[in-house]
């Protein structure tokens, strides 16, 4: 049975979808020593999902520095609290690595934020927005791509929470881990669909025009 995907996904439909959440182990990293051990493990993995979080600013013209880097395997996610550790040499090694496949979404924006902490040369990264476009998907937020491919909702309720808080809440940790993990899920599914051609693309604008035409005729 072909999977149906849409060039544009109706945001109204997302609220009724079942929630998708990371089910694996979440490890918060607070010191350079812990960072080094985590990076050694991550560099031994075949694929990693990446994302960042920044404390929101509600003052015009003011922006906080990126405070969290989350890196996930399919079943473990490390939350690197950059506001405690900074961008350590081991994290730079991870970001510059060319051997491990790293997946992000709108990763250019995340890279720009990380460069404000310390300069580095970006290694082997894939931005899943580019891959989604190849399927004909035009709505390119993480939430909409995930809903389009899996008919599940990634909650964004914690997005504007305080990512520099002394202790992250369980909800914050789960939100952050889910975003990084979801990048892997999306990448793998897009690859599968491209290889198998097991999907049909519905162009919403054409449907809307056809419906309008039928209505006028009626």
């Amino acid at each position: 049975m072909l999977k149906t995907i849409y060039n544009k996904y109706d945001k109204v439909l997302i609220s009724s979808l079942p929630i998708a959440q990371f089910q694996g182990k979440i490890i918060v990293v607070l010191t350079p020593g812990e960072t080094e051990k985590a990076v050694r493990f991550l560099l031994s993995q075949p694929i990693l999902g990446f994302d960042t979080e920044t404390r929101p600013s509600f003052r015009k013209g003011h922006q906080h520095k990126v405070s969290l880097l989350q890196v996930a395997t399919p079943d473990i996610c490390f939350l690197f609290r950059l506001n405690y550790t900074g961008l350590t040499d081991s994290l730079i090694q991870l970001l510059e690595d060319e051997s491990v496949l790293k997946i992000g979404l709108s990763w250019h924006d995340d890279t720009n934020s990380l460069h404000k902490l310390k300069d580095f040369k970006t290694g082997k990264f894939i931005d899943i927005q580019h891959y989604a476009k190849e399927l004909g998907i035009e709505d390119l937020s993480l939430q909409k791509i995930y809903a389009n491919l899996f008919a599940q909702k990634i909650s964004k309720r914690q997005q504007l929470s305080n990512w520099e808080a002394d202790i992250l809440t369980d909800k914050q940790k789960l939100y952050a881990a889910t975003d990084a993990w979801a990048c892997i899920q999306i990448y793998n599914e897009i690859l599968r669909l491209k290889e198998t051609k097991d999907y049909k693309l519905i162009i919403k604008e054409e449907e809307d025009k056809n419906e309008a035409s039928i209505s006028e005729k009626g």
Side-chain angles (χ1 to χ4, degrees):
M1 183 176 178
L2 294 177
K3 172 175 282 191
T4 299
I5 60 174
Y6 303 88
N7 66 321
K8 294 187 176 181
Y9 198 87
D10 190 346
K11 188 174 182 179
V12 175
L13 297 178
I14 294 178
S15 61
S16 64
L17 295 176
I19 296 291
Q21 290 182 335
F22 178 62
Q23 300 295 320
K25 184 177 183 180
I26 300 174
I27 301 174
V28 179
V29 182
L30 293 166
T31 69
E34 292 172 351
T35 299
E36 189 172 348
K37 291 178 182 177
V39 168
R40 280 202 302 268
F41 169 78
L42 291 168
L43 287 174
S44 71
Q45 303 302 301
I47 186 170
L48 301 171
F50 277 71
D51 195 23
T52 66
E53 303 297 339
T54 301
R55 178 183 177 182
S57 175
F58 302 102
R59 285 189 292 153
K60 187 176 180 180
H62 181 266
Q63 186 175 10
H64 293 284
K65 292 181 179 180
V66 58
S67 50
L68 189 73
L69 170 66
Q70 53 264 48
V71 186
T73 73
D75 51 16
I76 300 176
C77 185
F78 292 89
L79 306 183
F80 297 96
R81 301 212 62 190
L82 302 181
N83 54 312
Y84 284 94
T85 66
L87 205 55
T88 65
D89 290 343
S90 56
L91 281 175
I92 289 177
Q93 180 188 2
L94 178 63
L95 292 168
E96 292 185 337
D97 171 74
E98 294 283 353
S99 60
V100 179
L101 183 60
K102 306 173 197 67
I103 314 298
L105 184 139
S106 190
W107 184 245
H108 178 74
D109 295 334
D110 290 310
T111 301
N112 286 341
S113 296
L114 291 167
H115 272 124
K116 293 177 182 179
L117 299 181
K118 193 177 288 186
D119 194 32
F120 60 91
K121 182 180 179 180
T122 305
K124 185 179 181 180
F125 278 88
I126 286 177
D127 192 323
I128 49 177
Q129 286 184 329
H130 301 316
Y131 277 55
K133 286 179 182 178
E134 292 177 4
L135 292 184
I137 295 174
E138 298 175 33
D139 282 336
L140 298 174
S141 71
L142 183 72
Q143 188 183 59
K144 284 191 173 182
I145 294 176
Y146 201 92
N148 205 344
L149 294 178
F150 298 104
Q152 292 181 311
K153 173 186 175 182
I154 292 180
S155 173
K156 307 305 289 183
R157 288 186 178 181
Q158 298 300 313
Q159 186 174 27
L160 298 180
S161 60
N162 181 11
W163 295 102
E164 294 181 9
D166 291 340
I167 298 175
L168 296 179
T169 66
D170 288 342
K171 289 182 178 180
Q172 283 180 304
K173 288 185 281 189
L174 183 57
Y175 168 90
T178 298
D179 276 7
W181 162 82
C183 289
I184 298 176
Q185 304 303 109
I186 290 171
Y187 172 77
N188 286 335
E189 181 64 3
I190 289 176
L191 277 192
R192 186 188 74 81
L193 294 178
K194 287 176 67 177
E195 290 173 1
T196 63
K197 309 298 182 184
D198 185 27
Y199 70 96
K200 60 179 179 179
L201 177 70
I202 303 297
I203 305 298
K204 293 295 290 183
E205 292 150 320
E206 290 182 2
E207 281 190 339
D208 293 343
K209 289 177 183 178
N210 291 338
E211 289 173 2
S213 176
I214 292 171
S215 176
E216 290 172 359
K217 290 178 182 177

